[in-house]
Amino acid sequence: MSSTANDRAAWLQGPSASCARVPEIENPFRLVLLGAPGVGKGTQADLLKQKLHACHLSTGDVFRAASKTQCELSPAMKVALDYMKRGDLVPDTTVWEMVRERSGCLHCGGGFILDGFPRTVGQAESLRRLMLEEGLSLSAVVNYELPVSEIVARLSGRRTCEKCKAVYHVTELPPKAEGKCDRCNGNLFQREDDRPESIKVRLEAYERSTAPLIDFYHNLGALLPVSAAGSPELICQRTLSALAARHVKQP
Ligand code: AP5
């Protein structure tokens, strides 16, 4: 994690926790990252947050943090984790309850990068209403594009740090020491939903429920298509250039 990023405590643990450090940026970026599972949204959010100082708000990370907690899970969260394990989308009501109770994060002084939310038209409409009520607006919705064959290869080789959540790939972005995180020396693991049968379910759920968001945000004039081919650094640069070309303020 970069020294300019906060520790996401309020997002990962809920509103009773506070972040150790919150940057204060004039005109912060408020972005949504769209794209199929495995296209590289989390990898880009990690790079972009270092350039933009915005907080990385991933709904998948909240569910994975809940699955590792020692505390008793609510019945709704237990059901949500079953959906996630299979690769299915968690029901909108559960996701929305979880996001709404963290709505303070939308006011983060560094701005935010939403990753994995919204994922259905219903979630996008709820977010739009909430942001209007809170007097906030999105800077842009970045849609990462990549052929399905490359997406499956990215998902199958992904490894994640159990401590700091840094993301690697066994061949494309390998860690220096096998199975160990470069940043914190934590153990790397393969996500349960990166097994072939779950990958298939996730890609179907994306086509059915999330791809319609491309039209939704295009019609609102917020969509920014970006190719997700090439190295992570190249894609990050492409994203920053696309934001600049849209006259969204650079940091
Ligand atoms: P979530 O955690 O959001 O997963 P996802 O959208 O499926 O996205 P991923 O995290 O799998 O991929 P990514 O695009 O971030 O790619 P990454 O950067 O890791 O959600 C998980 C589950 O939670 C869902 O299936 C659902 O059950 C539930 N859920 C969450 N939010 C929900 C919501 N709003 N509504 C309902 N349910 C919800 O990269 C992938 C791999 O590729 C890595 O190994 C990486 O190192 C590698 N890579 C990245 N970029 C490159 C590159 N340029 N070149 C080569 N390799 C690369």
Side-chain angles (χ1 to χ4, degrees):
M1 178 156 318
S2 90
S3 57
T4 54
N6 77 29
D7 60 0
R8 307 196 291 163
W11 179 255
L12 294 178
Q13 296 157 39
S16 58
S18 26
C19 298
R21 179 185 175 278
V22 178
E24 285 298 331
I25 304 289
E26 203 184 329
N27 299 321
F29 279 83
R30 299 192 178 99
L31 302 175
V32 166
L33 304 189
L34 273 188
V39 76
K41 301 180 296 295
T43 302
Q44 289 308 312
D46 199 44
L47 293 171
L48 288 169
K49 81 181 182 201
Q50 296 172 40
K51 306 277 184 196
L52 308 177
H53 314 294
C55 192
H56 176 193
L57 306 180
S58 154
T59 39
D61 282 350
V62 175
F63 291 129
R64 281 184 289 278
S67 73
K68 301 242 155 40
T69 181
Q70 309 296 328
C71 307
E72 177 68 14
L73 293 175
S74 68
M77 189 54 92
K78 282 184 189 155
V79 172
L81 296 182
D82 284 341
Y83 276 89
M84 185 171 159
K85 227 176 269 177
R86 289 199 300 269
D88 273 328
L89 292 186
V90 175
D92 277 0
T93 44
T94 310
V95 176
W96 182 238
E97 199 179 309
M98 196 256 302
V99 171
R100 209 186 38 192
E101 68 173 16
R102 289 163 170 76
S103 59
C105 293
L106 301 179
H107 287 278
C108 184
F112 61 75
I113 304 170
L114 272 170
D115 161 17
F117 178 88
R119 227 179 179 100
T120 64
V121 171
Q123 291 178 16
E125 281 168 345
S126 299
L127 176 67
R128 187 154 184 254
R129 273 195 300 274
L130 177 67
M131 289 191 69
L132 276 173
E133 282 164 25
E134 305 268 332
L136 297 169
S137 58
L138 288 175
S139 314
V141 175
V142 180
N143 183 40
Y144 288 113
E145 302 171 333
L146 196 71
V148 171
S149 56
E150 288 187 50
I151 286 175
V152 172
R154 285 187 184 180
L155 284 174
S156 319
R158 171 166 51 193
R159 298 292 181 271
T160 308
C161 173
E162 64 180 12
K163 271 210 251 167
C164 75
K165 317 294 173 223
V167 173
Y168 298 86
H169 189 278
V170 286
T171 54
E172 300 296 328
L173 299 164
K176 290 191 184 104
E178 200 186 327
K180 291 285 177 191
C181 178
D182 294 349
R183 296 183 191 178
C184 71
N185 205 36
N187 290 323
L188 304 185
F189 71 98
Q190 181 167 33
R191 274 170 45 174
E192 267 185 289
D193 60 352
D194 281 346
R195 289 166 300 147
E197 60 275 26
S198 301
I199 290 177
K200 185 166 177 286
V201 176
R202 287 163 67 198
L203 290 172
E204 284 165 1
Y206 168 78
E207 280 304 328
R208 192 174 55 246
S209 305
T210 311
L213 289 183
I214 296 172
D215 280 346
F216 180 91
Y217 283 117
H218 173 75
N219 292 338
L220 290 174
L223 196 76
L224 201 56
V226 173
S227 162
S231 71
E233 291 72 22
L234 181 68
I235 300 159
C236 179
Q237 198 45 56
R238 214 178 265 148
T239 308
L240 294 172
S241 303
L243 288 171
R246 243 181 88 93
H247 307 296
V248 179
K249 188 186 153 293
Q250 286 270 43

